[in-house]
Amino acid sequence: MEKTMDWEQNTLLNELTQGRDFTNMLRKHLHPSSSPETRQVLLDKILCSYDKALSLLNCSGYMVETKPRVSTLGSPESDASDKKDMFKKRKTSSGWSEQIRVCSATSLEGPLDDGYCWRKYGQKDILGSNFPRGYYRCTHRYSQGCLAGKQIQRSDEDPTIFEVKYRGRHTCNQVSHLVATPKEKGNHYREKQQVEEKQKQSEEMLLSFETELKVNTEDLDKRENIFPSFSFPIESEEVQNGLLRNSLMKNISPAFVSPATSESNYFSVSAFQMGSFDFSQNVQTSESELTEIISAPASVTNSPIVDLDISSLEKLEFDQSFPFDNPEFFTNFLQ
DNA sequence: TTCATTTGACCAGT
DNA sequence: ACTGGTCAAATGAA
């Protein structure tokens, strides 16, 4: 525990130091002869350092005001006490997100891959539950200071369903897991080709996903806790008019096209695989809290028609460089 | 040899 | 005292 605290403080210190260094560099580049791109990059890095530092503090249970605070005059004593309280022991069992229920198509295997690399650090029998709860943290916790974590527990009512809770945000570089997942170690060239191929398929699927998805923004806001960077920035007329959709339907199996029910609180998303993790989902909002249900009917995921493995989709989801805002992407795609 | 998982022990909160 | 969350040594897999 002490070790963890030291590590967190070191990481925090590193982030802040890095931020200061980048700020200094930015100051040097304020000269008009310096390129705006460089300034932008430095600015991004500074913001990234701030984000990570704040995330470290928040995820560690230290309440951090994100709004700038006007310093009060006088009372240095109170400042000192604030500092003292700042690193008090975190509360346990706080900060876990709402539960997600994941149905594994292979039933006996767990919901293995949600796109991130997780490392199991514990398992616990839970009172009143038939199945133990597994505790996972991001693989990049120590290498990149990513404090995201999750719990997985098999449901009592339906053992094929896994209840997953997430905590914290991923601040790690998500590209790294794209290249170096355990499955993909080894033949790099071939794997790279496969990844590229899958990525191409994923782009198609993602568009299908977008066209099928009818969700109000409130739901999206809530889901941000779990998949923080998950968004669909496209709002093109082509999509709305169904042109893009029709185009997509030529290439994509009808099995992916499930009707979205607009009148209920459910929305349905076409079934597809995310690696070994079946990620078709039905999402339902309850009165008190948002409960997310992610389920994958085996009949669909095991369909011989639907044999697309788009394990790299999650990579796209979090890839900010994905050319949503590039009209050429869609033009090329439609041809 | 390295890295991930397992599992009993430990700790903090209630 | 009980429980959930985490640690870390032991173990296993690649």
Side-chain angles (χ1 to χ4, degrees), chain A residues 79-326:
Chain A
D79 285 348
S81 65
D82 284 346
K83 277 176 196 168
K84 188 183 166 188
D85 289 343
M86 190 172 170
F87 282 97
K88 69 186 172 190
K89 207 67 193 169
R90 83 190 64 180
K91 275 188 179 179
T92 55
S93 76
S94 66
W96 290 104
S97 78
E98 58 269 31
Q99 194 175 81
I100 302 175
R101 310 187 75 199
V102 180
C103 175
S104 167
T106 45
S107 85
L108 290 178
E109 296 173 19
L112 298 174
D113 188 2
D114 55 8
Y116 290 102
C117 295
W118 299 102
R119 177 162 180 173
K120 190 173 186 178
Y121 65 87
Q123 180 170 302
K124 198 68 181 167
D125 287 323
I126 300 302
L127 196 75
S129 300
N130 297 331
F131 303 100
R133 177 179 298 164
Y135 297 91
Y136 299 79
R137 65 167 65 106
C138 179
T139 304
H140 307 113
R141 182 183 174 103
Y142 298 110
S143 59
Q144 296 183 32
C146 179
L147 288 172
K150 75 171 177 180
Q151 299 178 347
I152 299 181
Q153 186 174 8
R154 198 178 281 249
S155 169
D156 286 340
E157 305 91 60
D158 185 352
T160 65
I161 289 179
F162 290 83
E163 296 164 349
V164 185
K165 291 180 187 174
Y166 288 85
R167 185 174 65 180
R169 292 175 75 101
H170 281 274
T171 56
C172 55
N173 180 6
Q174 289 305 309
V175 176
S176 59
H177 84 272
L178 187 157
V179 179
T181 53
K183 294 175 198 168
E184 292 171 354
K185 285 174 183 169
N187 190 336
H188 286 271
Y189 178 72
R190 202 171 132 258
E191 293 296 342
K192 191 184 170 189
Q193 278 187 319
Q194 286 177 348
V195 165
E196 283 170 359
E197 184 61 29
K198 285 176 181 178
Q199 187 154 337
K200 198 178 170 185
Q201 292 174 344
S202 301
E203 289 165 0
E204 298 171 5
M205 288 310 305
L206 191 58
L207 287 168
S208 168
F209 194 48
E210 154 65 13
T211 55
E212 289 302 306
L213 201 55
K214 308 290 182 192
V215 201
N216 64 40
T217 53
E218 190 182 13
D219 280 354
L220 281 176
D221 289 344
K222 288 174 181 172
R223 228 184 337 278
E224 217 232 339
N225 289 332
I226 304 152
F227 302 110
S229 305
F230 191 94
S231 61
F232 296 108
I234 350 173
E235 192 60 37
S236 71
E237 271 189 33
E238 285 83 358
V239 171
Q240 287 175 353
N241 294 339
L243 292 175
L244 180 56
R245 175 181 168 155
N246 290 338
S247 168
L248 286 163
M249 292 313 115
K250 292 173 190 169
N251 301 322
I252 297 169
S253 158
F256 289 106
V257 189
S258 62
T261 53
S262 57
E263 71 276 10
S264 71
N265 283 336
Y266 285 90
F267 70 86
S268 95
V269 177
S270 309
F272 52 80
Q273 279 192 306
M274 296 179 69
S276 53
F277 171 41
D278 298 313
F279 197 71
S280 89
Q281 56 182 3
N282 292 312
V283 175
Q284 180 183 27
T285 52
S286 69
E287 309 82 8
S288 55
E289 62 175 349
L290 182 79
T291 303
E292 302 208 6
I293 302 172
I294 300 178
S295 63
S299 59
V300 174
T301 52
N302 291 338
S303 162
I305 305 170
V306 188
D307 195 26
L308 288 176
D309 179 6
I310 53 163
S311 62
S312 58
L313 174 61
E314 66 272 22
K315 294 146 199 163
L316 285 167
E317 287 179 70
F318 304 106
D319 185 357
Q320 294 177 355
S321 65
F322 187 76
F324 281 114
D325 52 353
N326 181 3

